[in-house]
Amino acid sequence: MSIRDMIEGKKEWRAHVARVKALPHDYQIVYREIQKYLFKVGPVELNDGTGLLSGIVDLFAEGAGMGKGVLEVTGNDVAAFCDDLIKDSKTFADIIQESMEQKGKKTT
Amino acid sequence: MLKGALEGCVLEIISRNETYGYEITRQLNALGFTDVVEGTVYTILIRLEKNKLVEITKKPSDMGPPRKFFAINDAGREELRRFWEKWEFVSSKINELKGRA
Amino acid sequence: MNFWEKITGSDMTKEMKAFEARTKMLPADYQAAWGKINEYLWAYSDFSGRNLIPILDGVLGLLEETAEDGQTVNEVLGDDLKGFCSALAGEEGAKSFRDKWRAQLNRNVAKKLGK
């Protein structure tokens, strides 16, 4: 990663955080919990900049603009919403497992 | 089973008119799928986008960030055709079963 | 050979340095946890360690986010760091960890929204 990438990446991230902070309080709470969950599960999309996360902010900003509560947007089962979101995605765990298999093949 | 059916429904709605997430949700709710929320539709739209079944245009909105509008493409139409074929088959078989009882 | 020595000299050094700089901004208990996580995860690396970069980046992001939230590292990761790491790497038990995270997510949302 070049220094330029890092600065630009940071800038993008800061802009993203600022958008989160502009959401109504209940949306911010749910957004933060979602982000924490996604960081743990680690869908590969997290590596492609803020696309996956900023998509959620778009969805939330529009819902808030319509005067809806956050759970009206995500449904009560927020975890199910997250899992749907990354259903077809490889997770970090998948990647590690694949490279372990590769490693196993090489040594045998 | 309902999830897959919902995906077909969303694609069908998109195939009629270029539209956006919240509007699709409204239509599904009006149809009687009252427990479908925006979030559900959003996850379906992401999948349609990933599988390249739709074309996306961003247009400004007065409700917040620019809205993504979805229009069906050829691959989407083909997918939709397959969906209805499958659906006809499944529902005809279920009805057959019901008729036998 | 420890984690840092192992990667020194590889083309990943820059990325590792960037991680190190970010780590230094974290509270002490977070830094300690990060060190342990590094150790555990190293067992899952391929020869270059490249496959670990995204997973380390994800974990560091999680730590940064929750440190800012003012939570203790224990609240976030639980007391079974080793289990947490093997779950990250998709080892046995990953499914039950994911169920736990899922339940934690919904519980936190319900609690914080006051419902």
Side-chain angles (χ1 to χ4, degrees), chain C residues 50-79:
Chain C
R50 186 163 296 284
N51 64 340
L52 284 186
I53 296 293
I55 199 169
L56 288 173
D57 193 42
V59 174
L60 196 50
L62 173 70
L63 294 179
E64 286 167 339
E65 177 67 21
T66 47
E68 203 180 318
D69 251 13
Q71 299 186 65
T72 68
V73 74
N74 213 344
E75 275 176 285
V76 183
L77 303 178
D79 46 15

Side-chain angles (χ1 to χ4, degrees), chain B residues 13-88:
Chain B
I13 291 172
I14 292 173
S15 78
R16 293 180 186 177
N17 249 323
E18 186 189 46
T19 181
Y20 59 96
Y22 277 81
E23 180 52 37
I24 295 170
T25 313
R26 252 199 303 271
Q27 284 196 40
L28 287 170
N29 290 158
L31 201 64
F33 292 120
T34 45
D35 51 355
V36 171
V37 292
E38 278 78 9
T40 315
V41 172
Y42 178 71
T43 60
I44 291 173
L45 290 173
I46 290 217
R47 274 204 296 282
L48 294 178
E49 179 179 354
K50 220 181 190 171
N51 297 330
K52 301 197 168 63
L53 302 174
V54 287
E55 300 300 326
I56 293 163
T57 332
K58 279 196 175 178
K59 295 180 186 174
S61 144
D62 48 357
M63 293 283 186
R67 253 183 207 141
K68 272 184 174 178
F69 278 77
F70 296 79
I72 200 164
N73 61 20
D74 286 342
R77 266 184 285 272
E78 178 57 24
E79 178 67 25
L80 187 60
R81 193 188 57 74
R82 273 199 299 267
F83 165 74
W84 284 124
E85 227 175 62
K86 243 190 279 172
W87 184 258
E88 297 298 337

